[in-house]
Amino acid sequence: MSNESLANLMTETRRFAPPAEVAAAANVTAADYEAAAEDRLGYWAEQARRLTWEREPTETLDWSNPPFAKWFADGRLNVAYNCVDRHVEAGHGDRVAIHFEGEPGDSRAITYAELQREVSQAAHALTELGVATGDRVAIYMPMIPEAVIAMLACARIGAPHSVVFGAFSADALATRIEDADARVVITSDGGYRRGAPSALKPAVDEALTRPGAARVRNVLVVRRTGQDIPWTEGRDLWWHETVGRQPEEHTPEAFDAEHPLFILYTSGTTGKPKGILHTTGGYLTQVAYTHHAVFDLKPETDVYWCTADIGWVTGHSYIVYGPLANGATEVLYEGTPNTPHQGRWWEIVEKYGVTLLYTAPTAIRTCMKWGDEIPAGFNLSSLRVLGSVGEPINPEAWVWYREHIGGGRTPVVDTWWQTETGAMMISPLPGVTLAKPGSAQTPLPGISATVVDDDGNEVANGSGGYLTLTEPWPSMLRTIWGDDQRFLDTYWSRFEGRYFAGDGAKKDADGDIWLLGRVDDVMLVSGHNISTTEVESALVSHPRIAEAAVVGATDPQTTQAICAFVILRGGAPQEEGLVEELRAHVAKELGPIAKPKRVLAVDELPKTRSGKIMRRLLRDIAEDRELGDVTTLTDPAVMDLIQSKLPSAPSDD
Ligand code: WT7
């Protein structure tokens, strides 16, 4: 794509009309926006009927004690029954629920009937281990079917789970076990990662030596790799022995709609992790509804794949609860996208005929970097809707995704939401909204969001500010586990009566919403607010740039100076004059004020496991400080690699 067409893309609003056949058959239509605008609670009450309730709710929302919401409070249901048993009862027992693809190439198809038996057995096993309704269970697992089964088994007996990402350290695991006071941990010997078995169990053993985690009674261990692991007799139990001998039938008990379903700790790029609490009826209603609406899911024919890890909310809502509540067939992949080769994902799409794909912009940009010829080597014609989540998707990556993965046919849905919101909130709808590369666009039917200024007044079209949610929604977090005050302070105190998401956003001339990243990531340069996202987006619109991360470094003249870290495309060496060219390019795209003071070419960027750039570490580098905590990085060695590339003298002007 030429520079000029890129520039057009960045500055103009380019629209992509949904293909006629998608529009004609879409699950949700323009009428849904109208219905929800007219009667928001009525619309949600109707969506709640997508679930099977043991006792149908007569109440929709109790907002008498804001911000502590109760949704469908007098309803009772069982989440696992909704995600598994009812599909078997409806005659879909032979439908594949999960196509598991192990990294070494082993695979296993699990039907809904099999899933029902295994979840039932696991539920019996937990009960046998003394786990009662309301007790917390920690899950520390690789991406294998037992991770999903363990979550559903907890839900089945009303024991809230706390899933801890399988690559977090023993310390991170210990703090989370302690905060939730979990008494049972479910783990595995290890999993396959980058072509080799990597161990998990030793981290559990280490975590359990910390005083706060000493109350754990049992560790249930799935055998995945068969590697040698340390074993504590009496405490540790093999999954295949303990679960394997249980009865295959289990009667699910219904719980109140507000019964806690899970705690999930936010990734914590700053401060102590917060235990986000989600409950049962409202959460399941919104994840099921949004998965149905935004992916336009047709469970009879679609094959859905979400590439996230179950350790993140995306995995909870859009691998486990949403798709399974809808009776979908989905792919679960254990490994990395480039093991054993850079086409592994596309090979999986081809193998299973994946129709709906949900991934993150960082993964899309990585694939762009590997080269267009890689996806071109596979048949991706089954794909029908592509989703994006996790950070703003730059228009360049959006267009690449649609053209090189979606063959130019597929809608791309850029879904904005958070661990705290539990489910998608702002997104285009395939077949309904016209698409704008880079914009999350419109709140979904039933969701109220707006962009406000410092005083909480709604900004005019064409202006930027803070993203707020103005009405409660079914899958909203109910509190921070054990810390109601922090819940109030963090989300409800900045703007009276509204939820403040922490993100900056702007409204374009049509009133569509563009996300600008966390407001903590806004730079102040000579009195101007400049978002890191916008400068990054401008940089990656240059043909030589694959990825960019921008931070504001303290500067005596300008308050902050823009410092850009860039990865060059194709890894080619940096040509003479490139830095100047990039600075000029940003100035042309965004104006001279946004011109980076420094541009440093690096090989990697520091990212959390969920793919978020850890700007605070880049700021440490830009400001010549000692590095802060690097333990949540995917690969802490990246920081050495970046530092070894320095210094490149700051240029003046
Ligand atoms: C933050 C939430 C939602 C699951 C994964 C992340 C950013 C998320 C988008 C998007 C722009 C996005 C926001 C948000 N974010 N999706 N489509 N466009 N930004 O969950 O770890 O709780 O992070 O991710 O900054 O606040 P999370």
Side-chain angles (χ1 to χ4, degrees):
M1 199 174 288
S2 76
N3 248 350
E4 203 164 88
S5 63
L6 277 173
N8 288 342
L9 195 61
M10 298 293 300
T11 47
E12 260 176 46
T13 297
R14 194 160 130 192
R15 291 172 175 274
F16 294 84
E21 68 277 14
V22 175
N27 286 347
V28 170
T29 69
D32 285 72
Y33 289 103
E34 282 161 37
E38 218 152 88
D39 179 9
R40 188 174 59 90
L41 295 181
Y43 187 76
W44 283 120
E46 197 183 310
Q47 301 318 316
R49 286 188 208 111
R50 310 180 58 74
L51 307 181
T52 305
W53 299 78
E54 188 226 39
R55 189 166 80 211
E56 294 266 344
T58 61
E59 269 172 49
T60 303
L61 169 67
D62 175 354
W63 193 233
S64 56
N65 180 28
F68 300 94
K70 289 186 185 147
W71 282 87
F72 311 118
D74 61 345
R76 287 173 68 83
L77 75 167
N78 184 288
V79 168
Y81 173 82
N82 272 277
C83 291
V84 185
D85 307 54
R86 66 166 174 160
H87 306 310
V88 179
E89 288 172 12
H92 305 310
D94 292 337
R95 183 185 294 167
V96 172
I98 298 173
H99 283 293
F100 170 66
E101 177 80 12
E103 198 190 70
D106 58 319
S107 61
R108 185 183 159 202
I110 302 169
T111 63
Y112 274 97
E114 286 164 327
L115 191 61
Q116 184 183 33
R117 289 195 287 274
E118 296 204 26
V119 171
S120 295
Q121 288 187 307
H124 280 299
L126 289 174
T127 304
E128 188 178 288
L129 295 180
V131 178
T133 303
D135 290 352
R136 275 81 59 200
V137 174
I139 297 178
Y140 184 65
M141 298 272 262
M143 286 287 287
I144 57 176
E146 288 81 358
V148 179
I149 293 165
M151 290 165 75
L152 290 170
C154 288
R156 194 171 184 98
I157 63 168
H161 53 69
S162 162
V163 180
V164 180
F165 180 53
F168 271 165
S169 65
D171 272 327
L173 176 60
T175 14
R176 287 159 175 76
I177 288 174
E178 180 178 1
D179 190 76
D181 193 18
R183 304 300 171 84
V184 169
V185 179
I186 307 177
T187 188
S188 76
D189 50 358
Y192 291 94
R193 227 37 219 171
R194 297 180 204 290
S198 95
L200 264 189
K201 174 70 167 43
V204 177
D205 292 318
E206 197 188 326
L208 298 190
T209 63
R210 308 293 144 89
R215 279 142 64 106
V216 169
R217 293 187 305 261
N218 291 108
V219 180
L220 196 51
V221 189
V222 175
R223 187 149 72 199
R224 165 67 181 141
T225 61
Q227 68 203 108
D228 268 343
I229 51 165
W231 199 259
T232 302
E233 258 344 298
R235 185 196 68 187
D236 299 348
L237 300 162
W238 283 114
W239 172 284
H240 57 270
E241 288 170 8
T242 310
V243 174
R245 63 176 159 71
Q246 303 293 334
E248 292 182 346
E249 271 168 35
H250 179 274
T251 310
E253 184 190 335
F255 301 104
D256 286 345
E258 283 298 339
H259 186 75
L261 179 61
F262 65 84
I263 304 166
L264 181 62
Y265 291 83
T266 49
S267 49
T269 43
T270 50
K272 176 182 177 260
K274 303 185 276 281
I276 303 300
L277 176 69
H278 283 289
T279 59
T280 298
Y283 172 81
L284 199 63
T285 296
Q286 195 174 331
V287 295
Y289 163 71
T290 49
H291 186 255
H292 157 87
V294 173
F295 284 104
D296 189 39
L297 175 80
K298 310 284 194 264
E300 310 279 333
T301 47
D302 274 320
V303 178
Y304 164 80
W305 181 21
C306 167
T307 68
D309 192 282
I310 48 124
W312 309 119
V313 74
T314 312
H316 284 59
S317 301
Y318 297 106
I319 293 178
V320 183
Y321 295 113
L324 296 178
N326 288 336
T329 294
E330 65 178 330
V331 171
L332 184 77
Y333 173 54
E334 179 183 32
T336 50
N338 53 348
T339 306
H341 56 78
Q342 292 176 337
R344 185 64 191 276
W345 272 14
W346 316 124
E347 190 176 79
I348 292 172
V349 168
E350 184 178 291
K351 174 172 173 184
Y352 295 104
V354 172
T355 58
L356 315 173
L357 178 68
Y358 196 24
T359 193
T362 172
I364 298 166
R365 285 192 298 269
T366 302
C367 293
M368 288 171 76
K369 189 166 67 186
W370 289 339
D372 302 353
E373 66 287 359
I374 301 207
F378 297 89
N379 179 358
L380 307 180
S381 62
S382 54
L383 288 168
R384 174 169 98 67
V385 181
L386 301 178
S388 169
V389 64
E391 55 176 318
I393 178 166
N394 50 298
E396 170 74 347
W398 193 107
V399 170
W400 187 88
Y401 194 27
R402 186 178 193 272
E403 285 177 4
H404 293 272
I405 306 304
R409 327 170 291 282
T410 58
V412 173
V413 287
D414 174 10
T415 63
W416 179 88
W417 59 292
Q418 310 177 296
T419 306
E420 292 87 340
T421 70
M424 297 168 184
M425 301 292 283
I426 305 179
S427 172
L429 283 175
V432 185
T433 35
L434 295 170
K436 281 184 192 178
S439 171
Q441 297 184 260
T442 319
L444 290 169
I447 299 300
S448 312
T450 189
V451 182
V452 300
D453 63 18
D454 273 310
D455 303 322
N457 300 314
E458 189 165 349
V459 302
N461 287 355
S463 307
Y466 306 94
L467 182 67
T468 62
L469 303 172
T470 52
E471 298 287 354
W473 62 99
S475 64
M476 65 198 285
L477 78 165
R478 297 307 195 255
T479 190
I480 292 175
W481 183 254
D483 202 344
D484 286 349
Q485 191 56 47
R486 194 174 178 204
F487 170 61
L488 292 167
D489 294 345
T490 310
Y491 305 107
W492 300 92
S493 66
R494 179 71 180 78
F495 300 103
E496 174 87 46
R498 299 170 163 206
Y499 173 89
F500 170 45
D503 283 348
K506 69 176 183 201
K507 289 199 298 184
D508 68 15
D510 303 326
D512 280 332
I513 296 175
W514 295 67
L515 273 304
L516 299 176
R518 312 292 301 172
V519 288
D520 324 333
D521 293 336
V522 171
M523 302 170 289
L524 185 63
V525 183
S526 305
H528 297 263
N529 282 321
I530 299 173
S531 108
T532 52
T533 304
E534 279 181 306
V535 180
E536 285 162 8
S537 189
L539 283 164
V540 293
S541 75
H542 187 282
R544 286 288 284 122
I545 303 300
E547 275 213 78
V550 165
V551 297
T554 307
D555 184 276
Q557 272 101 46
T558 57
T559 318
Q560 287 190 313
I562 301 176
C563 184
F565 296 79
V566 297
I567 301 180
L568 300 181
R569 265 196 197 219
Q574 184 177 336
E575 58 269 23
E576 189 81 30
L578 180 63
V579 166
E580 268 325 299
E581 188 182 320
L582 291 171
R583 297 177 66 227
H585 176 73
V586 175
K588 184 169 136 269
E589 297 279 320
L590 297 174
I593 187 75
K595 192 173 183 175
K597 183 161 187 189
R598 299 172 76 184
V599 178
L600 305 167
V602 293
D603 297 320
E604 291 291 346
L605 292 169
K607 287 190 188 147
T608 65
R609 312 272 180 174
S610 62
K612 291 204 196 319
I613 294 166
M614 286 186 82
R615 289 198 179 72
R616 97 179 136 71
L617 294 176
L618 294 174
R619 243 177 338 251
D620 290 344
I621 289 190
E623 295 179 349
D624 248 338
R625 254 197 316 268
E626 202 164 307
L627 288 184
D629 182 24
V630 295
T631 52
T632 54
L633 280 183
T634 321
D635 177 10
V638 162
M639 295 315 292
D640 299 332
L641 213 75
I642 294 175
Q643 277 173 315
S644 69
K645 283 261 182 167
L646 305 178
S648 126
S651 48
D652 291 311
D653 65 307

